[in-house]
Structures are given as C-alpha cells and as structure tokens.
Amino acid sequence: MSAVIFSLRSAPEGDRLMLPLVRRTRDPHLGVWALPGGWLDPDEDLDSAASRTLAETTALMPSYLEQLYTFGAVDRSPTRVVSIVYWALLRSDLVDAQRSSAGAPENVEWFDADDLPPLAFDHNHIADYALDRLRNKVGYSRIAAGLLPDEFTLTELREVYEAVLGRRLDPSNFRRLLEGTDELVPTERFRTGKHRPARLYRRNRDT
Amino acid sequence: MSAVIFSLRSAPEGDRLMLPLVRRTRDPHLGVWALPGGWLDPDEDLDSAASRTLAETTALMPSYLEQLYTFGAVDRSPTRVVSIVYWALLRSDLVDAQRSSAGAPENVEWFDADDLPPLAFDHNHIADYALDRLRNKVGYSRIAAGLLPDEFTLTELREVYEAVLGRRLDPSNFRRLLEGTDELVPTERFRTGKHRPARLYRRNRDT
C-alpha cells in the first residue's frame, strides 16, 4: 500500500501544491525518499490498510482516502510487489493540527509536487500519475472540498486552483467558467475585510 | 485478476447490455457463475495478466482493457485474495468475430447486466460497481468508441445509450445535449436508406 497525499503549503511566492515523503530506513533503497506506505495485513481491508500505513508513517489522517490505481510492473521492485495506491487531498490547517497533536515523524518532509527528488521504486511514476489525475480529472467541487474550508470566495478557489495547476488563471474567465457549472452554490454570506466584500460559495453536494 | 466486459447483444425487445460469465469448474463455488479471470503470474504485468486470463477463459480480446478497481475485503474469499479488476467495452460485431474464430468455450454465457445470477465470491458487487461506473462516469465519446463502429448517427448513439442506461431517452433532448459538448464531430457523410438521410458523426479524439 502507498499513499499520495496532496496539500497546499505556504511558500514565499504563494501556496504550493506539495506532498509528504518518507525517507526509507531499510533496504531496498535505504535512505531514499519514498511515498508513505506499508504492507497489507492478512486480516485488514484495503481502505483500512491505506489509512493505517499512512498514519503510522506520517501521522496524517485524511478524512477521505480514495483508491487511485494498482501498480504491478514486474520490475518495479527487486521482488515481485504489487502496490495498491490510495490518494487524498488534505487541507493545510488540518495537516498542521494533525502534525502538532500527533508529533511529526522525523523522517517525513513535504516536497513540491512538481519538483520531487528521485524516489524509491516506481514512486516518481506513481506521484506523476496522481498529479495528472488531480490536474485533469478532478472537478472544482472536489478540489474545493479537499483543500478549502466549507465556504470560500471565488478568488480563494482560483488561488487554490492556480496552486494545483501550477499556473496563473485569468480571473474573469475563471468566474465565467464556474458560473456555467452547477458544482458551486452561492451563499448569502460575504467575506469582508480591506477589499470589497466577496460572496462566499460552497460546493454543491448534489453533484 | 477478473474482468467485466460489457457488450450489446441483440434481444427481441432491442439491444441489451450484457456481460460474459464463466461457470466455475473448481472449488470454491464449483458450478457457480463468476466473472472471467485467473491468477497473476510472477513474471507478468497486470495489464498482460488481465488480457491473458480473459482470453483463456472466454476467447475474448478487447482492444483496450482498463483497470477498474482492486477489491480486497478480508472475507471475499475463503483464503485472502486481493482481486485486481479490469473492464472493457466490446463491439458486438467483434464479439461475434472473436468467438467464431477462436471457438467459444462451453462454460461461458452472456447475461443481462441488470439480471445477473448469484455469482461466486463478491463478483455481484464487482459487476454492480462496473455497471455504476459505466452508467455514471463514462462520457458519450467513450461509449461510442467502445460499442459502435467509427461512424454512427445520433439515433444509433442514442439507442446504444438507451441500452446502457436501461431506459428510453427523449430524442430531442439527447440531440441538444450532444450539440452542447465537443465529444462528437459531425462528418460530411450520411446514412441513407428507407428513412430520411441521417448525418454520420465520429468521436472527437482530442477530448
């Protein structure tokens, strides 16, 4: 079992899409960075094993882990190992809360999803697969649900999406695109502050 | 490895969405219908194993098998077995050609996807999962690619979709819906016959 967990982490140039890696403490690939994971126990379902191995290695507990894909190329490991990979999005405030309450394991670090070091086994391939899925096949509503609080402005959603895609988006086009979907629902509440009040949206749970 | 292969088979009331099952010749579940499949060889990739076990059990060779999901509930089999499931759509003319050239195994039969017998292991659950995916998450373009020849009329596509969904669709609404997507491309060719000539479409390979 392995897991690819994406979160947004603050960086000087704005939020960056990042994922946690674990430095291996045994052979093969001793000392090399790898996706968090571990072995399936004989008396444990796949979902449980994914949650358990992620918690054991990183102290992270996403509310929702989803099966991504099963990787089983013959040469992906010195012995024949089929890896069932799960993935999740995790809000950065929850990452911080979980790490401070559980204690962050020492051999875990967060890496920029677009600038990963060479990883053990086929884990670079797996991380790329997860990133491609996130960028190309996940709708605005799920991105919002995974990385933002329950209510958010369109600007906040755009900034999250920019971090996910790794490029700037035109604000008016983004707004028009969203108004053409039913993935978001406007609320009657507004974000106030030093800028013009901005309407808060929530995701449409019916879609 | 197991495989769920959907095709349209002629029935008196119109085309029906069907899938092939194999009657088991060994324990557990001797004599019970099951999804086609078999064991992963130590020196074989997952995709190859899915194709090989499907061909060995049913003589069917879809042009494209896609990994669906990996099922691993602890109690799904008397011993612990994790099953990596693939699925595909297969045009009925190709089914017929493959079966006549390879010889149809005697213990294989096609069943109505909505009226399956009790299956071995968790195979009813797996078949339901595949059917739900097909009905809810697969676009018109892929349905067309999997179940229709390269060019087709909107009426032919609607009839295929009706068979997939198991219900009638309103022809004008269906046409409007498709005109709002870029999944289909009109050609300059028409289907002629006893009815008014109907424009032929093909799927948009860019989407």
Side-chain angles (χ1 to χ4, degrees), chain A residues 2-207:
Chain A
S2 289
V4 187
I5 308 302
F6 293 109
S7 187
L8 296 181
R9 313 289 295 162
S10 294
E13 71 278 18
D15 284 353
R16 299 282 298 169
L17 185 69
M18 302 188 85
L19 55 86
L21 297 174
V22 182
R23 195 187 283 279
R24 285 181 61 81
T25 56
R26 68 189 69 175
D27 274 322
H29 302 295
L30 172 69
V32 178
W33 293 103
L35 294 171
W39 296 97
L40 172 66
D41 279 347
D43 57 353
E44 168 178 64
D45 289 341
L46 305 185
D47 295 5
S48 313
S51 297
R52 175 186 57 78
T53 57
L54 180 68
E56 285 175 359
T57 49
T58 65
L60 295 172
M61 283 155 285
S63 56
Y64 178 62
L65 268 173
E66 182 184 16
Q67 196 186 107
L68 175 67
Y69 199 78
T70 297
F71 295 83
V74 172
D75 59 358
R76 63 178 297 280
S77 174
T79 56
R80 183 69 196 269
V81 178
V82 171
S83 186
I84 304 163
V85 178
Y86 278 69
W87 73 321
L89 304 175
L90 194 52
R91 285 163 44 185
S92 54
D93 55 325
L94 299 180
V95 170
D96 295 335
Q98 290 175 10
R99 286 167 67 89
S100 63
S101 73
E106 281 185 5
N107 60 336
V108 174
E109 279 183 28
W110 287 78
F111 287 82
D112 191 316
D114 280 308
D115 191 18
L116 297 178
L119 302 183
F121 309 110
D122 55 353
H123 288 189
N124 284 102
H125 172 62
I126 294 176
D128 286 346
Y129 183 96
L131 193 56
D132 180 70
R133 174 83 71 99
L134 176 64
R135 288 185 167 153
N136 295 309
K137 294 183 183 145
V138 176
Y140 293 96
S141 173
R142 275 188 60 196
I143 297 269
L147 296 173
L148 282 170
D150 287 345
E151 297 191 348
F152 45 84
T153 68
L154 291 189
T155 300
E156 289 164 352
L157 179 59
R158 175 171 53 78
E159 287 171 352
V160 164
Y161 227 70
E162 289 176 342
V164 166
L165 295 176
R167 59 185 170 84
R168 293 268 170 264
L169 297 172
D170 179 75
S172 348
N173 285 345
F174 187 75
R175 182 175 292 267
R176 261 198 302 277
L177 189 66
L178 287 184
E179 284 168 355
T181 77
D182 58 356
E183 288 194 41
L184 298 182
V185 178
T187 73
E188 293 308 313
R189 286 171 294 284
F190 291 81
R191 174 90 70 224
T192 53
K194 61 185 173 177
H195 296 290
R196 191 156 64 95
R199 186 182 292 276
L200 289 166
Y201 287 74
R202 61 177 176 78
R203 67 200 168 94
N204 184 353
R205 290 187 176 73
D206 298 337
T207 61

Side-chain angles (χ1 to χ4, degrees), chain B residues 64-146:
Chain B
Y64 178 62
L65 268 172
E66 182 183 15
Q67 197 185 107
L68 175 68
Y69 200 78
T70 297
F71 296 84
V74 172
D75 60 359
R76 63 179 296 279
S77 175
T79 56
R80 183 69 196 270
V81 177
V82 171
S83 185
I84 304 163
V85 178
Y86 278 69
W87 73 320
L89 303 175
L90 195 52
R91 284 162 45 185
S92 54
D93 55 324
L94 299 181
V95 171
D96 294 335
Q98 290 176 10
R99 287 167 65 88
S100 63
S101 74
E106 281 186 4
N107 60 335
V108 175
E109 279 183 28
W110 287 78
F111 288 82
D112 191 315
D114 281 307
D115 190 20
L116 296 178
L119 303 183
F121 309 109
D122 55 353
H123 289 189
N124 284 101
H125 171 62
I126 294 175
D128 286 346
Y129 183 96
L131 193 57
D132 179 70
R133 174 83 72 99
L134 175 64
R135 287 184 168 154
N136 295 308
K137 295 184 183 145
V138 176
Y140 293 97
S141 173
R142 275 187 61 197
I143 296 270

Side-chain angles (χ1 to χ4, degrees), chain B residues 144 148 152-161 174 178 184:
Chain B
L148 281 170
F152 44 84
T153 67
L154 291 188
T155 299
E156 289 164 353
L157 179 58
R158 175 172 52 76
E159 288 170 352
V160 164
Y161 227 71
F174 186 76
L178 287 184
L184 298 184

Side-chain angles (χ1 to χ4, degrees), chain B residues 16-17 114 135 160-168:
Chain B
R16 300 283 298 168
L17 186 68
D114 281 307
R135 287 184 168 154
V160 164
Y161 227 71
E162 288 176 343
V164 166
L165 296 177
R167 59 184 170 84
R168 291 271 170 260

